[in-house]
Amino acid sequence: MQITVNDRQTLLDIAVIALGSAAGVFALAQRNGLPVTATLADGQTLTYELEDVVSPAVRSAYALRHISPATDIDPGEYKELLYQTGTKRPPLPRPWIDRADDALVVDKLDEVLDLLDRKEPVKVESKQQLTRIFSDPFSEVFS
C-alpha cells in the first residue's frame, strides 16, 4: 500500500494516519529506508503493508474524520509563532565597545577629589566627567 505525504507531515504523522499509532514509525521508516527523523517532501510516496498496522481502529477513525496531522514546522516559523503569542524575544546582543580609551581611572579618584577640595583645575584624561553632588563630607560618606 502507498500513502502520499502532504506539506509539513513527518514520518510520525504518516505512521498515525496509515498505521494507527506513532509506534508504527519504526516499521514505516525501515520499509522506506528512511531515518525516523527524516524530513519528508510534499508529494513524496511512502509504502507500507497491512501487517505494519498497529491500531486498525485509530487508522479507521482518522480516515473517517479526514484527519491529516502535519506537525513539521521550520524553527524560524516556530519562534515567530511563539513571539506572536506573547513569548518575549531574546535581547539582541550589543556590540562590543572598547572603553579602554574612555575610562576614569579609579586610582586617580582620590587625587581628583583632593584637587576639587582645593578648588584646583583637574586634568581630564577621558571624555567622562566627575560631578560632585554633595558639598559636605558627611553626606558624601553616607550617600
Side-chain angles (χ1 to χ4, degrees):
M1 302 183 82
Q2 292 186 335
I3 187 167
T4 303
V5 177
N6 293 324
D7 187 34
R8 298 178 188 251
Q9 285 187 319
T10 64
L11 212 52
L12 282 169
D13 298 328
I14 301 299
V16 171
I17 295 166
L19 307 178
S21 172
V25 73
F26 300 106
L28 193 61
Q30 185 177 15
R31 192 168 297 280
N32 290 279
L34 297 169
V36 175
T37 57
T39 301
L40 305 177
D42 186 18
Q44 182 176 350
T45 303
L46 301 176
T47 60
Y48 66 97
E49 296 296 329
L50 285 178
E51 63 194 39
D52 298 333
V53 175
V54 177
S55 176
V58 173
R59 180 176 181 247
S60 297
Y62 272 66
L64 287 172
R65 294 188 177 105
H66 303 289
I67 299 172
S68 183
T71 59
D72 192 15
I73 187 167
D74 178 72
E77 291 175 354
Y78 175 71
K79 286 181 181 178
E80 191 57 36
L81 283 172
L82 287 177
Y83 301 148
Q84 294 298 324
T85 56
T87 301
K88 293 185 179 180
R89 293 181 188 269
L92 296 173
R94 295 184 179 181
W96 172 255
I97 299 172
D98 186 16
R99 299 193 189 272
D101 298 337
D102 190 34
L104 183 63
V105 181
V106 177
D107 296 339
K108 290 191 169 193
L109 190 60
D110 290 332
E111 178 185 331
V112 170
L113 289 173
D114 287 339
L115 289 172
L116 289 172
D117 284 338
R118 293 190 304 245
K119 302 203 187 301
E120 294 179 19
V122 177
K123 181 182 176 190
V124 178
E125 296 176 359
S126 84
K127 296 174 188 157
Q128 297 179 1
Q129 298 293 323
L130 178 65
T131 304
R132 189 164 209 163
I133 299 172
F134 302 106
S135 59
D136 63 322
F138 180 82
S139 295
E140 189 173 320
V141 170
F142 290 102
S143 61

